[in-house]
Amino acid sequence: MTGGARKVNIMNKSLLVQYDKDLRLRIMYPEARKEITNDVVRIIRQAPGMNVVAFTFANETKLDNVIDREVDYFTPMQQPFTWKVYDHDLLPSLKDKLASHGFAGDDDPADVMVLDVKNAPASLFQPIRTDIRRIDSLDGLKDIIHVLDQVWGGHNTWVNERLGMHLSVPGYLSVYAAYVDDQPASIAWTYFPRGHFATLFAGSTIAEYRKQGLYTSLLSTRLQEIRERGYRYAVVETGAMSKPIVAKHGFQHLTTVYDYEWKGN
């Protein structure tokens, strides 16, 4: 039993190292610039986009000074600013120090779930009978917005700018919608950054269309594309509702991520 647990831990550690390299250190965003200092990795977007500290190199003894320095750097931009903290970062005091420096704690952290596509259940690669359509134009994004508005409320017109711009980057983003009686009912998309991990987002279904297998059909569609494109892993950040769904399909917990948002002192 102990040997098996040790093997799993070693495998997870290796996967976490690759995850950090691909999705926190080397990743590039078309709409942002990346800055790597001796202490952190910053992701800087044009206003009013969200700026991020994506990785913290600094050790425990330097955290107070590093946080003060980053706050001084970001606040003149007058944009939203978050600091990402991962359970595997081995910085046990970082959350408390961020809270003491004017950051709001994350009451709804996301579990990072990963699937080795080579070892994924065969059921996910069966022919798909649901009406799944790939969205590749600004006009098509209106169906994505419709589903998001119905599920989450508000007016999700940000989709036109963000996803619209990302769709113009060859091979970077795939967007899908599931339809019932020709009406958009469920949506999801996948990013394909450089590296080993394709990243899954959304997976939102209008309430009246749930429990019809739409989420699973969209997941299968995306995993089939991920495998065809040669990516080894699919990764998704999940909340309490979606975690058991992806776990049922073979996704395993890799780490947990917390977003600490700057609120000011």
Side-chain angles (χ1 to χ4, degrees):
M1 182 67 70
T2 303
R6 184 180 299 116
K7 182 178 180 181
V8 170
N9 290 336
I10 291 171
M11 290 174 64
N12 277 350
K13 183 175 181 180
S14 175
L15 191 56
L16 282 167
V17 169
Q18 193 65 56
Y19 174 88
D20 285 342
K21 286 180 179 178
D22 286 0
L23 296 183
R24 301 178 67 194
L25 297 172
R26 297 173 178 169
I27 193 166
M28 302 295 291
Y29 298 96
E31 80 284 6
R33 74 176 188 272
K34 180 174 65 179
E35 298 177 349
I36 301 178
T37 74
N38 290 331
D39 299 309
V40 298
V41 176
R42 303 170 179 145
I43 305 298
I44 313 295
R45 294 181 170 88
Q46 292 185 346
M50 176 71 73
N51 292 328
V52 179
V53 172
F55 197 104
T56 307
F57 300 113
N59 61 39
E60 291 277 314
T61 61
K62 296 176 60 179
L63 286 178
D64 285 307
N65 290 336
V66 170
I67 294 170
D68 285 338
R69 188 179 307 121
E70 295 307 306
V71 168
D72 289 343
Y73 180 85
F74 279 106
T75 50
M77 300 180 189
Q78 298 184 332
Q79 291 172 242
F81 161 37
T82 63
W83 199 302
K84 288 190 174 291
V85 183
Y86 289 76
D87 274 350
H88 67 283
D89 283 341
L90 302 179
L91 293 170
S93 70
L94 181 54
K95 296 174 189 174
D96 289 340
K97 288 186 178 295
L98 287 169
S100 70
H101 284 261
F103 288 79
D106 190 345
D107 295 327
D108 188 25
D111 288 303
V112 180
M113 305 289 286
V114 65
L115 178 70
D116 185 338
V117 177
K118 289 179 63 176
N119 299 320
S123 59
L124 290 171
F125 298 96
Q126 299 302 310
I128 296 166
R129 295 178 174 83
T130 306
D131 181 6
I132 304 288
R133 307 176 195 176
R134 184 164 180 166
I135 306 298
D136 56 10
S137 69
L138 279 174
D139 183 62
L141 290 177
K142 68 180 185 299
D143 288 346
I144 305 300
I145 294 171
H146 171 76
V147 173
L148 291 174
D149 287 351
Q150 294 298 309
V151 174
W152 303 107
H155 301 284
N156 292 275
T157 53
W158 58 267
V159 165
N160 286 321
E161 181 176 354
R162 188 183 307 172
L163 298 192
M165 188 269 283
H166 290 166
L167 282 172
S168 69
V169 180
Y172 181 55
L173 170 65
S174 293
V175 182
Y176 293 96
Y179 293 78
V180 176
D181 297 330
D182 209 35
Q183 297 299 310
S186 184
I187 54 94
W189 56 85
T190 309
Y191 281 104
F192 293 90
R194 293 182 180 178
H196 300 76
F197 297 85
T199 57
L200 307 179
F201 286 87
S204 298
T205 304
I206 296 174
E208 65 189 272
Y209 298 112
R210 291 173 187 163
K211 298 184 179 180
Q212 298 183 30
L214 301 182
Y215 181 96
T216 299
S217 294
L218 284 167
L219 179 62
S220 294
T221 299
R222 291 181 292 165
L223 288 174
Q224 289 178 27
E225 181 184 11
I226 288 168
R227 186 171 68 173
E228 289 167 1
R229 294 181 58 169
Y231 280 75
R232 177 68 185 269
Y233 301 103
V235 65
V236 59
E237 294 184 7
T238 64
M241 184 180 299
S242 56
K243 180 180 178 180
I245 299 175
V246 298
K248 179 181 68 175
H249 293 297
F251 283 75
Q252 296 184 339
H253 182 264
L254 183 63
T255 187
T256 301
V257 57
Y258 305 77
D259 285 339
Y260 276 71
E261 185 174 356
W262 167 248
K263 297 294 186 181
N265 291 315

